[in-house]
Amino acid sequence: MHIATAADTQHWWRDAVIYQVYVRSFLDSTGDGIGDLAGVRAGLPYLRKLGVDGIWLSPFYPSPHHDHGYDVADYRGVDPVFGDLREFDHLVADAQRLGLKVLIDIVPNHCSSEHAWFRAALADGPGSEARKRFHFAEGRGENGELPPNNWHAMFGGSAWSRVTEPDGEPGQWYLHLFTPEQPDLNWRDPSVAASFDEILRFWLDRGVDGFRIDVAAGLFKNAELPDSPDPMADERSRDSVNPLAWNQPEVHDVWRQWRAVCEEYTAADGLDRLLVGEVSVPTAREHAKYVRPDELHQAFFFDLLSADWDHDAFRKTISEALTDIAGTGSTVTWVLNNHDQVRTVTRYAGETTTVGPSRARAAALLMLALPGAAYVYQGEELGLPEVVDLPDDVLTDPIFRRTGSRLRVRDGCRVPLPWSGQASPFGFTAGGDGAARPWLPQPEWFAEHATDRALSDTRSFWHLYRDGLALRRNLPQLGEGPLRWLETEPGVLAFERGDGLVCAVNFGLESVPAPVAGTPLLASGDCPPGILPGSTAAWWISDLSTKGTSS
Ligand code: NOJ
């Protein structure tokens, strides 16, 4: 039976809440210690109960997993470790029957060095058609022993690697903005665009509702591949990128073409197919260009994720997004967590250790009250903290390896989910005694966050998310529509949505008078009438005639 939801409306994505499933860490149905598609399928009723509108599946394609699937060896298959195409089809059918949309990750900036395209490029040698799909260039120096330019890779080291030619001699270099196992595709070669057109249709024909697009501000590089005035920019941080390798104007033509493909499918059944881009660009204004009406429907707005726990920073970020992005006719796509970032509970802990969970709960209520769409990363609804003490020898993130063990960034938010019980694998892995251990070790304290506990404890993160999502679905004020800032106490953010829905967040540690009388509809912590405690957010319905300013 198909359950009718808000997702049945044509523009379902505009205020949808999508749950990011990091497949290898969600639920393991086979006992090999790695999550899989059958595990995701088994978890769908749980997600339905949580109340999200859909799921985004991290890459499940055949891959040598140098970057956990973001190195795709075949864009039209399923890695046997995750299942097969039949299992994928069942997953899509089950999800849609439950009223959940299904988005899949697509990785157009680079493929795996084991993809047939790259193998052919190596085998066919310099000047071949196969090499044109990538950025191959002669090296500098007397014998071509130096990389063609000074660019650094995002994950550390040079952005170039040299190949051994079919004759056994050192030869050309190829560009990779991430690891050497992820050669960048050359989008100036028409065969690349043509291939991706077919790949999109392959998955749309299988029924997916859209795509999360990896590195959506990448794809095109300056055609001359000149030296960069700031070669370390990419390696330094998310906020600084090599201006010659990112955000080139030509990339917008690709999104126009992809949007046209989606519109063909929409024309057939009246439902939008969603393109949501991972767009890392320096300003909200640049970001807005990606969501013009004929380009991507949405692009993750990472500024909220990178904002410090500070009411001014949050207010500025939210206002800029609403002005610049909503001004395009799209909606803002809010995100606080994902598989690349330290989890909010830990990130917001600051100097103290006790306020992280309260702040993460408050941030969740804030995000769910904002106009636009929101993404929730698996485990966020359990209040999972980052696992910060994984031993070096279990770390798998290529950033750790490629920065000489300097940056331990992304494994700690990818530890397999706890579902039940008191000891690892906490129900993550099926298969009893013979089962392999989870691919990253789960700490003992994961027991406190297991889903079975969370479901039975009405004060858990899970209930906060569930209640917030249910209200969001039912209260018209929380859909699209204006946000009006309210004057409040210092250190507090308060805004009104629609008619009379007030959300306030106290960023400080001390209680302040609540901006609204009465008992809140929902609060992230204990919230007596008339009081907004520190590190707490709440929602009220008020008849107050507010004295705010529009965003
Ligand atoms: C962004 C993805 O979120 C990240 O996990 C991946 O490593 C890079 N893109 C490269 O594909």
Side-chain angles (χ1 to χ4, degrees):
M1 184 195 51
H2 173 81
I3 299 171
T5 66
D8 290 323
T9 56
Q10 174 172 358
H11 305 309
W12 55 271
W13 49 272
R14 294 184 68 84
D15 56 1
V17 180
I18 304 291
Y19 184 95
Q20 180 189 355
V21 178
Y22 195 67
V23 178
R24 63 169 36 241
S25 300
F26 186 73
L27 187 57
D28 165 24
S29 73
T30 60
D32 65 356
I34 299 176
D36 46 45
L37 295 183
V40 179
R41 209 175 148 201
L44 291 174
Y46 164 80
L47 298 176
R48 172 73 202 153
K49 199 187 281 183
L50 180 61
V52 292
D53 298 303
I55 57 174
W56 145 30
L57 298 169
S58 56
F60 49 74
Y61 309 104
S63 165
H65 293 282
H66 291 287
D67 188 17
H68 289 321
Y70 286 98
D71 45 331
V72 179
D74 173 5
Y75 288 93
R76 299 172 197 229
V78 173
D79 193 302
V81 84
F82 297 131
D84 54 24
L85 278 173
R86 212 170 138 260
E87 189 60 47
F88 177 82
D89 291 341
H90 287 313
L91 167 57
V92 173
D94 283 4
Q96 292 175 344
R97 211 172 300 123
L98 288 170
L100 295 168
K101 299 286 183 188
V102 179
L103 310 180
I104 63 171
D105 221 309
I106 189 157
V107 189
N109 180 69
H110 46 266
C111 61
S112 161
S113 50
E114 293 188 19
H115 195 289
W117 296 335
F118 194 71
R119 291 190 168 179
L122 290 184
D124 293 2
S128 61
E129 285 302 307
R131 283 214 176 173
K132 291 188 188 146
R133 275 186 185 269
F134 299 90
H135 297 279
F136 275 89
E138 299 300 330
R140 299 198 284 201
E142 214 169 302
N143 299 305
E145 70 281 12
L146 299 173
N149 71 24
N150 65 357
W151 296 3
H152 271 245
M154 298 287 285
F155 291 175
S158 170
W160 294 91
S161 289
R162 195 173 193 186
V163 301
T164 302
E165 299 296 0
D167 63 6
E169 293 297 318
Q172 289 191 307
W173 296 70
Y174 67 92
L175 180 71
H176 49 81
L177 289 187
F178 294 91
T179 70
E181 294 84 8
Q182 294 164 294
D184 277 49
L185 290 159
N186 173 15
W187 276 81
R188 294 182 197 282
D189 182 74
S191 73
V192 171
S195 298
F196 274 92
D197 204 276
E198 288 169 15
I199 292 163
L200 290 182
R201 291 173 196 278
F202 175 85
W203 293 106
L204 288 167
D205 289 343
R206 295 198 101 87
V208 303
D209 298 291
F211 302 90
R212 176 270 186 191
I213 304 167
D214 193 57
V215 189
L219 275 61
F220 281 85
K221 282 88 201 172
N222 181 295
E224 308 302 321
L225 299 172
D227 272 345
S228 169
D230 187 7
M232 294 301 284
D234 275 352
E235 196 177 324
R236 203 163 46 233
S237 82
R238 188 188 267 290
D239 301 328
S240 71
V241 291
N242 174 355
L244 301 166
W246 293 84
N247 201 22
Q248 304 298 299
E250 296 91 330
V251 76
H252 294 285
D253 293 334
V254 177
W255 306 140
R256 289 192 189 100
Q257 170 56 24
W258 286 30
R259 180 70 177 250
V261 171
C262 288
E263 298 299 337
E264 281 178 33
Y265 284 77
T266 301
D269 64 11
L271 289 177
D272 286 349
R273 304 303 192 279
L274 170 64
L275 297 173
V276 52
E278 186 211 21
V279 172
S280 299
V281 287
T283 62
R285 200 160 293 168
E286 276 305 298
H287 183 101
K289 292 186 184 162
Y290 287 77
V291 291
R292 287 177 288 201
D294 59 347
E295 297 198 32
L296 304 178
H297 302 78
Q298 293 180 329
F300 295 115
F301 188 69
F302 291 122
D303 294 21
L304 190 66
L305 185 156
S306 358
D308 290 336
W309 184 252
D310 169 80
H311 76 289
D312 278 338
F314 269 62
R315 177 165 173 163
K316 181 168 174 286
T317 303
I318 293 167
S319 293
E320 275 178 14
L322 291 176
T323 309
D324 291 332
I325 296 164
T328 62
S330 180
T331 53
V332 186
T333 304
W334 307 104
V335 53
L336 293 168
N337 290 280
N338 66 32
H339 64 293
D340 294 331
Q341 303 294 332
V342 173
R343 288 182 178 275
T344 37
V345 168
T346 306
R347 211 166 69 222
Y348 294 147
E351 301 294 295
T352 65
T353 50
T354 52
V355 288
S358 321
R359 288 176 175 175
R361 291 170 67 93
L365 273 202
L366 167 70
M367 177 174 80
L368 293 178
L370 293 173
Y375 282 67
V376 172
Y377 173 50
Q378 70 180 34
E380 183 177 330
E381 82 285 11
L382 301 174
L384 270 189
E386 186 84 358
V387 182
V388 292
D389 54 359
L390 290 167
D392 286 5
D393 61 351
V394 304
L395 299 181
T396 60
D397 181 359
I399 298 182
F400 182 68
R401 190 169 34 87
R402 291 192 56 79
T403 57
S405 311
R406 192 166 43 84
L407 293 178
R408 27 169 69 239
V409 203
R410 304 187 300 174
D411 289 285
C413 64
R414 298 175 177 180
V415 176
L417 288 189
W419 290 88
S420 58
Q422 295 303 318
S424 181
F426 298 112
F428 165 72
T429 284
D433 290 345
R437 286 205 293 259
W439 69 277
L440 279 174
Q442 301 160 303
E444 275 172 31
W445 51 261
F446 257 34
E448 292 162 36
H449 300 276
T451 55
D452 62 349
R453 263 215 212 185
L455 283 158
S456 61
D457 174 5
T458 52
R459 296 172 62 88
S460 67
F461 267 76
W462 195 88
H463 279 271
L464 180 72
Y465 273 83
R466 204 275 313 261
D467 294 351
L469 288 165
L471 285 171
R472 190 180 150 100
R473 195 173 279 231
N474 293 324
L475 290 174
Q477 292 97 324
L478 291 174
E480 279 199 55
L483 175 152
R484 216 153 57 90
W485 294 110
L486 306 178
E487 285 170 24
T488 50
E489 302 290 319
V492 175
L493 270 196
F495 54 84
E496 185 182 16
R497 294 293 325 282
D499 204 8
L501 189 290
V502 172
C503 170
V505 187
N506 181 353
F507 283 79
L509 295 172
E510 306 301 327
S511 293
V512 296
V516 182
T519 308
L521 208 57
L522 184 62
S524 64
D526 290 332
C527 204
I531 303 283
L532 183 59
S535 312
T536 303
W539 295 353
W540 296 262
I541 292 283
S542 112
D543 53 3
L544 132 141
S545 77
T546 45
K547 36 181 177 145
T549 47
S550 269
S551 68

